[in-house]
Amino acid sequence: MASGTWKTIQERWRHHGLPMLGIALVATLIAWACDRAHLLKDTEHLAYDKALVEFTGGRAASGQVVVVAIDQSTIDAISQDTQLQINFGNWPYTRTLWARIAQELKAAGARAVLFDAVMDEQSSDKSADLGFAQALRETGLPFYVGMASSGSAKPLVRADFQAPVPLSTPEAAPHPEPPGDTFPEEFEDAPAPAPPVLTPEARARALAFPVSRTDGEALPSLQGTSRDPRYPVPPTPALIGAMSGFGLVDTEADGDGSMRRTKFAYTDGINTYVTLPVRMMADLLGAKEVTLSGRTLHLGEHTWHVDDDGGAALDYGGPLDTRFPQVTLFAVLNDWIRRSQGKSVDLDAALFQGKVVIIGGTSVGLNDIKATPFSSTQPGLVKQATVVDTLLSGTFITRAPAGVDLGLTFFVALVSAVLLMTARWTPLEVAWPPVLILGLFVLTGVLLKTSHTHVLMAMPALAGVGASVAALAFNHLVANRETQFIRQAFNRFMEPKRVEQMIRSRQLPRLDGENKEITAFFSDIRGFSTFSERFKEDPRQLVRILNTYLTTVSGALLREGGCLDKYIGDAVVCLFGAPMAQEDHAVRACRGALAAKAAVEVLRVDFRRQGFPDVYTRIGVNSAVNFVGNFGSDQLFSYTAIGDGMNLAARLEGANKAYGSVIMIGPRTYELAREHIEVRELDRVRVAGKTEAVTVYELLALKGQLDASTRHTVARYHEALGLYREARFAEAAAVLEAEAARSPEDGPTGKLLERCREYLESPPAKFDGVANLEK
């Protein structure tokens, strides 16, 4: 980074550091307040969903969970088969069907079954319920069914998990089983056994599950956001005791209806209950209790990171049809029929082996279609399958701590303010907000993918955009103030149209100073002390004459884009290339010097006519890198330049006297403007305090405007100068004498002739062809 740029950055930080900090802080507080007021919830949901899909989607299918789908093809196949219609009826099918499915899944080697539905209505055929219960007992297949909560349900008694099981039952009489190749309709007339009689304690023990929080926080309430209490709806009594367990399957959707999160345990104020996947996994992992400790969920020896509220976001990894192997319910039923008939099954023998089976509806007609980040029409069972898969071998998505979100928000706001208030670059001001939002989106997605952490995006984005807008407003205010200052500061020293051009092009000078190459102009009136002596008794007349002279010279310079630096008595100091950058500053300075010379010649004629003293003017022009900026004290400061280049320009002006020239320019000026000017090489000189010699030139005219007579004089001068540098003073003098006779008014010819004659009379002890310019 260039030192000048770094100085600008430091200067802006020093002057505007507190506003930057204040803008970031205010933007952060506003964004935080909006988030707390839930004004950003919908935006955050959209951003989260997009990041989840883009960065976590496309995961391979699960190898631990298989979905048995109650799809439209199953419903159609059963409704179109008379025998199946007689046995199982229409949806919702008799529980005899689920007995057959349980038998087939057990035979196929399923590890456990989660049925994403409720069975809280007693069948009109009580024997079907009892037969289903008997089938579950005989197969020993872990089978778990959902339960819903309702405001109309009655509260259960408090479950005492330490007491003996108070289940008093007349044991259900064995339900006769059909031979392997027959259907249950042959047994419809069999006497139905009596259902079990459950005590209130037994019902509570069957539905509730021990849950504790060791951090002192309360469990989520079944009441949710409603004021009416809700309690679990018990399943049909025939299934309690036969089922392995029951869990809540209430829809856990956000306000927009999308399922993004789940909680693992609830309370109704009397008992604690767990969700259906947790209930099943507790048994599979040998856990007798669910424990929530801070941000950790414990099931036996297994732990998962969760949020402070006891919930977590679901890492779907993709839509249902790509994440979990699926098979239709009819295919499983067909395999049971084939197996009971002694035939080979159609499904792959390894499909269910050691897998957890999720049974649920996928048909639109079953009214279990929900929205997830991956699709607005996903079967509700995708949530249960995802939770089970994560509990088996995955990680939930958890929210970053509030301090992290707030810290990121402040950081984004601060970076936005500092960047825009420091750079003040229009393309960056336009591009930064979308780049900021894209960057936050990528950050959110990467963290979701790599660490399963959800960092808020909407709140930092709002703070960043807000800080950006405030920074732009501040920049606009500062720019207006700087523009006004520039206009006031430079209108006296530059043509107003040049000042406005500088402002429009945003070439505002760095008032704190910078190193840059410029061309300096110095002019002075010959014999001004004598000049002023004539007006000792009339100083006002001197002022009028001097003002006329300075206005004439300044006007010529301003028309070429020069910036008047200062007046030192009769002397004029002008800068080209600052404060407004000018690539052709050397050419402009040369044109300005020639224009000033011409204007002064006209003025001299006028002054002679009025009887005023002569204003013969000498000019020095030099190009070099100087330090330009505001200099001075607390009481007075001005825009000027300092450096060796300025000193040389001043000395070149004075050196005209020694060479009889009017405009002397330095070597760098000649190098930059040589294609546009006519010059005479005057000499090689050494400035006081310097050892290196430089070549100086007399500026004569613009390119192509030198008359033939002057061109001849310049050629003879160069010829004599070559002889002079070889110390051939007599030969040089002869050339110069001839030219002096022809052009007696040419000052440099006469001055060089004087030196040659002087050296002929008193030869120098050591001659190197270089003249010394004293102060």
Side-chain angles (χ1 to χ4, degrees):
M1 181 185 295
S3 60
T5 303
W6 177 239
K7 283 194 66 176
T8 300
I9 292 173
Q10 289 179 312
E11 188 72 16
R12 288 176 179 170
W13 287 354
R14 182 165 60 251
H15 290 154
H16 304 315
L18 285 179
M20 291 174 183
L21 192 62
I23 286 174
L25 185 59
V26 170
T28 300
L29 291 176
I30 291 175
W32 176 79
C34 290
D35 182 69
R36 296 290 293 175
H38 305 296
L39 299 179
L40 305 178
K41 182 179 291 186
D42 291 343
T43 304
E44 184 62 43
H45 283 163
L46 289 174
Y48 172 81
D49 291 352
K50 185 68 174 175
L52 195 72
V53 171
E54 292 295 328
F55 287 87
T56 71
R59 196 173 310 151
S62 171
Q64 306 174 97
V65 176
V66 178
V67 170
V68 173
I70 309 171
D71 64 344
Q72 192 60 46
S73 67
T74 293
I75 294 173
D76 293 342
I78 292 177
S79 65
Q80 293 167 10
D81 188 296
T82 304
Q83 186 63 54
L84 296 179
Q85 271 277 297
I86 294 173
N87 283 289
F88 308 129
N90 293 317
W91 177 264
Y93 304 120
T94 66
R95 294 190 182 132
T96 306
L97 171 64
W98 306 119
R100 304 304 169 233
I101 296 300
Q103 290 170 342
E104 177 56 29
L105 292 176
K106 175 64 176 180
R111 182 181 180 186
V113 176
L114 184 150
F115 193 178
D116 184 29
V118 297
M119 294 186 177
D120 51 18
E121 292 185 3
Q122 187 167 310
S123 174
S124 58
D125 182 2
K126 296 181 181 180
S127 64
D129 291 346
L130 295 171
F132 180 27
Q134 185 68 17
L136 291 177
R137 291 189 182 94
E138 290 178 354
T139 61
L141 176 67
F143 202 104
Y144 299 84
V145 175
M147 62 179 178
S149 64
S150 171
S152 61
K154 295 180 180 180
L156 302 176
V157 300
R158 186 176 299 278
D160 183 359
F161 293 99
Q162 304 301 321
V165 179
L167 175 64
S168 64
T169 110
E171 257 318 314
H175 189 75
E177 283 295 318
D181 58 351
T182 58
F183 284 93
E185 73 277 3
E186 299 178 23
F187 302 88
E188 290 297 323
D189 296 331
V197 177
L198 295 174
T199 65
E201 292 78 7
R203 183 180 291 107
R205 283 281 295 273
L207 304 186
F209 196 80
V211 181
S212 64
R213 288 206 70 148
T214 61
D215 54 9
E217 298 293 328
L219 287 171
S221 172
L222 275 180
Q223 179 177 327
T225 57
S226 66
R227 295 186 177 182
D228 298 328
R230 297 174 65 89
Y231 302 102
V233 180
T236 182
L239 301 181
I240 298 178
M243 289 289 178
S244 301
F246 302 91
L248 293 168
V249 290
D250 291 344
T251 300
E252 297 176 300
D254 290 325
D256 60 355
S258 184
M259 297 188 302
R260 299 181 181 89
R261 300 176 55 80
T262 185
K263 292 182 179 177
F264 305 99
Y266 291 86
T267 179
D268 61 0
I270 302 172
N271 292 305
T272 55
Y273 309 92
V274 294
T275 57
L276 183 56
V278 173
R279 180 65 188 86
M280 180 184 71
M281 291 305 302
D283 285 351
L284 296 184
L285 299 176
K288 301 300 182 183
E289 180 182 26
V290 173
T291 304
L292 289 164
S293 176
R295 294 172 64 90
T296 305
L297 167 69
H298 298 266
L299 280 179
E301 299 298 322
H302 301 266
T303 60
W304 296 263
H305 290 297
V306 297
D307 289 330
D308 293 328
D309 63 355
L314 302 176
D315 184 20
Y316 286 104
L320 176 69
D321 55 358
T322 63
R323 281 286 292 120
F324 301 100
Q326 291 187 58
V327 60
T328 66
L329 179 69
F330 183 77
V332 179
L333 178 61
N334 185 62
D335 269 13
W336 174 81
I337 295 173
R338 295 180 64 84
R339 193 185 299 273
S340 65
Q341 294 173 348
K343 299 177 182 178
S344 60
V345 296
D346 290 335
L347 296 176
D348 186 351
L351 178 62
F352 297 113
Q353 190 66 44
K355 310 287 180 60
V356 172
V357 179
I358 311 291
I359 301 177
T362 61
S363 172
V364 175
L366 300 184
N367 295 322
D368 191 31
I369 301 301
K370 303 292 190 295
T372 73
F374 284 88
S375 173
S376 60
T377 55
Q378 284 283 279
L381 66 85
V382 69
K383 185 184 81 169
Q384 315 296 1
T386 300
V387 175
V388 170
D389 193 56
T390 304
L391 290 172
L392 284 169
S393 63
T395 304
F396 291 101
I397 295 172
T398 56
R399 281 281 309 276
V404 172
D405 287 329
L406 200 59
L408 176 63
T409 301
F410 178 74
F411 175 76
V412 168
L414 184 61
V415 168
S416 299
V418 170
L419 188 63
L420 297 184
M421 291 171 68
T422 299
R424 300 186 194 174
W425 186 41
T426 301
L428 179 64
E429 293 171 350
V430 173
W432 176 247
V435 168
L436 169 66
I437 293 172
L438 178 61
L440 286 172
F441 175 74
V442 172
L443 174 65
T444 299
V446 169
L447 289 176
L448 285 173
K449 182 177 181 64
T450 59
S451 66
H452 291 81
T453 301
H454 174 204
V455 175
L456 291 181
M457 176 180 167
M459 185 168 72
L462 177 61
V465 172
S468 300
V469 172
L472 293 181
F474 183 88
N475 287 349
H476 185 70
L477 176 63
V478 170
N480 284 345
R481 282 164 41 189
E482 287 182 348
T483 298
Q484 187 61 28
F485 177 79
I486 295 298
R487 188 176 283 115
Q488 292 173 353
F490 289 97
N491 266 343
R492 294 174 295 166
F493 312 128
M494 298 175 64
E495 279 193 305
K497 66 179 183 180
R498 300 284 183 187
V499 177
E500 295 305 321
Q501 179 186 350
M502 180 171 64
I503 292 171
R504 285 195 305 271
S505 62
R506 294 193 63 81
Q507 295 183 15
L508 301 182
R510 289 182 44 201
L511 302 180
D512 57 323
E514 61 181 323
N515 281 310
K516 63 185 305 185
E517 185 176 57
I518 63 171
T519 299
F521 170 101
F522 277 76
S523 71
D524 199 6
I525 298 176
R526 178 181 61 187
F528 181 71
S529 297
T530 304
F531 183 106
S532 59
E533 279 291 323
R534 290 186 52 182
F535 297 93
K536 183 167 57 175
E537 302 301 326
D538 189 6
R540 287 189 177 87
Q541 182 68 0
L542 174 63
V543 170
R544 284 193 291 271
I545 292 173
L546 191 57
N547 285 346
T548 301
Y549 167 79
L550 293 175
T551 300
T552 300
V553 174
S554 300
L557 299 173
L558 291 175
R559 282 189 291 274
E560 292 299 332
C563 172
L564 293 177
D565 183 347
K566 61 178 73 69
Y567 298 131
I568 309 172
D570 64 308
V572 178
V573 183
C574 186
L575 308 179
F576 290 84
M580 186 170 69
Q582 297 165 327
E583 293 184 2
D584 59 343
H585 54 85
V587 177
R588 287 174 178 270
C590 291
R591 286 204 303 257
L594 291 169
K597 176 186 175 184
V600 168
E601 289 298 324
V602 174
L603 189 62
R604 290 173 68 192
V605 173
D606 186 48
F607 277 13
R608 280 197 297 270
R609 188 174 64 250
Q610 298 182 53
F612 294 153
D614 190 14
V615 286
Y616 180 87
T617 300
R618 300 188 182 101
I619 298 171
V621 177
N622 186 54
S623 303
V625 174
N626 291 281
F627 191 73
V628 294
N630 269 329
F631 298 91
S633 65
D634 292 339
Q635 291 74 32
L636 179 65
F637 68 95
S638 64
Y639 188 83
T640 186
I642 58 174
D644 287 343
M646 296 294 290
N647 296 335
L648 181 56
R651 291 178 185 177
L652 293 178
E653 179 272 315
N656 281 295
K657 181 178 180 180
Y659 287 91
S661 53
V662 177
I663 306 174
M664 188 180 295
I665 67 174
R668 178 60 177 163
T669 303
Y670 173 69
E671 179 184 345
L672 294 173
R674 62 188 303 171
E675 301 299 327
H676 304 273
I677 58 176
E678 302 282 359
V679 300
R680 173 188 350 219
E681 182 181 341
L682 288 173
D683 204 355
R684 287 176 55 78
V685 301
R686 186 181 295 112
V687 180
K690 301 289 183 179
T691 58
E692 184 180 355
V694 297
T695 303
V696 295
Y697 305 84
E698 180 187 17
L699 177 62
L700 299 172
L702 294 177
K703 198 72 171 181
Q705 296 181 10
L706 193 63
D707 61 83
S709 177
T710 305
R711 192 177 300 278
H712 180 274
T713 299
V714 170
R716 298 288 75 77
Y717 182 90
H718 286 162
E719 179 184 353
L721 182 63
L723 297 170
Y724 166 80
R725 287 174 175 167
E726 296 174 2
R728 297 160 63 183
F729 303 123
E731 296 174 53
V735 174
L736 292 168
E737 286 169 351
E739 186 57 32
R742 196 184 72 84
S743 302
E745 74 285 352
D746 187 58
T749 297
K751 291 295 183 179
L752 185 57
L753 178 57
E754 288 179 10
R755 272 192 285 164
C756 288
R757 287 171 176 172
E758 179 183 341
Y759 288 154
L760 284 171
E761 294 177 4
S762 302
K766 182 179 180 181
F767 180 75
D768 59 1
V770 177
N772 292 317
L773 282 186
E774 302 299 333
K775 293 185 179 179

